[in-house]
Amino acid sequence: MAQSTNTILMVRPSSFEKNEQTAVNNYYQKDTNQSKEEILEKAQKEFDQLVAKLTEAGVTIITVQEDPNHKTPDAVFPNNWISFHKDATIGIYPMFAPNRRLERRQEVLQQVEEAGFMIENVLDYTTAEDEELFLEGTGSLVLDRVHQKAYCALSERANEGLVVEFCEDFEFTPVIFTAYQTVGNKRLPIYHTNVMMSVASSFAMICLDSIDNKKERKNVVKHLKQDGKEIIDLTEAQINQFAGNTLQVTNNIGEELLVMSQSAYHSLTKGQLAIISKHSKILYSDLTTIETLGGGSARCMMAEVFLPKKT
């Protein structure tokens, strides 16, 4: 089993703006004084540039258009509602914001199947929404697919019981902790694990300072080290620039690429970039508008397709 895949699902925005329903606990979202038209134009341009760079690098992109009939300002972040697995199973996840639940569309599954992939089994956790319990896909779960571990920072969007249920269903070992960010003068939970850490095949990027509980921090480090990951420790300032929101993908000749935003790239030190470059090529793209208003970055925009191909 590989940690990274060469096929990615991405959803091109038909509408894009700050989602007020998610801003209540995503403290990375900011306001801007641009018009709606300007914002959408910039977000689409950023999306198209990232898709073009990935395609040019030899990564296969399944591009789906956001349904223009629904108001889904975060549709550009599909990894929160769906995950694809090597045994032809998909996970469908319960979402905190009611308007994000509209992102779950049958047409998306059809397009993945039309691209030649098999979906044989659907594990649907969405009934948890009735109990106000949430687990937002690979936003909440950072998966080490080789060692079958699911790293999860608990928050309003990542319920511990659901993490355990996911791990039982998919045969992962849960590594559970809480990660915090400084908001004003308070320490508040980071809304998604994939903002403060990413796991690649031979290294991991993580803001250890965000795990305030020393025992939990030690446990996370122990798991990463025992699986042979070189740890790149990020600062809180770097995760504010989305340096934790990266994803390793593979191109069509088997090279590994670490995908990140321009702001993430520029926040990293020469030493950190040197360590990454030892393991992986780096691909970065300007995602300023999507990051500012959406509070998510490159990793959130990519849902990895690990499904088997139809024979």
Side-chain angles (χ1 to χ4, degrees), residues 117-136:
F117 291 94
M118 280 163 57
I119 297 174
E120 290 181 344
N121 191 16
V122 179
L123 289 177
D124 188 335
Y125 300 99
T126 57
T127 55
E129 287 167 356
D130 301 337
E131 299 166 67
E132 297 284 303
L133 302 175
F134 312 106
L135 184 69
E136 297 194 332

Side-chain angles (χ1 to χ4, degrees), residues 10 50-59 61 249 259 283 302:
M10 296 179 71
L50 180 57
V51 168
K53 284 183 180 186
L54 286 163
T55 306
E56 196 185 332
V59 181
I61 309 293
V249 299
V259 186
L283 184 155
M302 297 182 283

Side-chain angles (χ1 to χ4, degrees), residues 8-293:
I8 301 292
L9 167 78
M10 296 179 71
V11 178
R12 188 176 191 270
S14 302
S15 62
F16 184 75
E17 59 187 341
K18 183 182 176 188
N19 186 351
E20 297 301 340
Q21 292 186 17
T22 56
V24 295
N25 54 24
N26 176 349
Y27 309 109
Y28 297 96
Q29 288 175 253
K30 306 283 187 291
D31 287 303
T32 170
N33 52 12
Q34 296 164 323
S35 70
K36 276 190 178 178
E37 294 71 27
E38 260 181 295
I39 289 166
L40 177 60
E41 193 183 327
K42 284 182 176 175
Q44 287 177 333
K45 188 181 167 194
E46 290 170 6
F47 178 90
D48 293 341
Q49 277 177 341
L50 180 57
V51 168
K53 284 183 180 186
L54 286 163
T55 306
E56 196 185 332
V59 181
T60 302
I61 309 293
I62 302 169
T63 306
V64 178
Q65 188 68 40
E66 178 194 347
D67 183 352
N69 303 315
H70 285 120
K71 201 171 154 92
T72 49
D74 285 327
V76 74
F77 304 135
N79 81 308
N80 299 147
W81 71 265
I82 191 165
S83 66
F84 303 96
H85 301 264
K86 66 177 191 287
D87 61 352
T89 301
I90 64 169
I92 306 283
Y93 298 94
M95 307 288 281
F96 170 79
N99 65 6
R100 293 213 62 191
R101 298 168 197 173
L102 300 168
E103 294 171 29
R104 302 186 294 240
R105 293 156 56 208
Q106 198 56 41
E107 306 94 286
V108 176
L109 309 191
Q110 282 162 358
Q111 260 186 262
V112 171
E113 288 182 309
E114 281 162 19
F117 291 94
M118 280 163 57
I119 297 174
E120 290 181 344
N121 191 16
V122 179
L123 289 177
D124 188 335
Y125 300 99
T126 57
T127 55
E129 287 167 356
D130 301 337
E131 299 166 67
E132 297 284 303
L133 302 175
F134 312 106
L135 184 69
E136 297 194 332
T138 54
S140 300
L141 301 160
V142 171
L143 302 179
D144 180 338
R145 292 181 188 251
V146 176
H147 301 96
Q148 295 283 106
K149 287 181 183 174
Y151 293 87
C152 184
L154 300 178
S155 73
E156 280 188 277
R157 306 205 203 174
N159 171 268
E160 188 164 4
L162 289 174
V163 178
V164 172
E165 193 180 335
F166 167 90
C167 288
E168 284 170 357
D169 291 342
F170 283 96
E171 298 181 352
F172 276 74
T173 300
V175 183
I176 294 171
F177 54 96
T178 305
Y180 296 89
Q181 67 188 115
T182 304
V183 182
N185 55 2
K186 287 185 187 149
R187 293 291 277 167
L188 298 174
I190 292 174
Y191 80 109
H192 277 163
T193 316
N194 76 2
V195 178
M196 54 71 66
M197 83 177 287
S198 73
V199 172
S201 56
S202 52
F203 66 100
M205 298 171 70
I206 180 167
C207 178
L208 292 171
D209 276 351
S210 69
I211 308 173
D212 291 355
N213 182 305
K214 283 186 182 146
K215 201 170 158 192
E216 289 181 350
R217 190 187 315 154
K218 260 177 137 162
N219 185 48
V220 171
V221 169
K222 182 193 83 176
H223 279 281
L224 292 170
K225 282 188 171 168
Q226 78 186 21
D227 297 330
K229 306 291 184 199
E230 183 165 6
I231 296 173
I232 298 168
D233 192 5
L234 302 172
T235 64
E236 185 158 349
Q238 289 175 323
I239 64 167
N240 286 337
Q241 298 301 313
F242 297 97
N245 199 240
T246 67
L247 181 69
Q248 191 180 57
V249 299
T250 309
N251 68 10
N252 50 17
I253 56 167
E255 292 175 319
E256 290 175 333
L257 313 164
L258 188 71
V259 186
M260 64 181 73
S261 72
Q262 184 175 287
S263 63
Y265 180 81
H266 290 305
S267 78
L268 295 167
T269 66
K270 278 188 181 149
Q272 288 168 326
L273 290 168
I275 295 169
I276 296 166
S277 300
K278 223 172 50 180
H279 297 276
S280 195
K281 289 186 167 181
I282 297 172
L283 184 155
Y284 66 89
S285 197
D286 178 16
L287 299 172
T288 306
T289 309
I290 290 170
E291 288 176 331
T292 303
L293 290 138

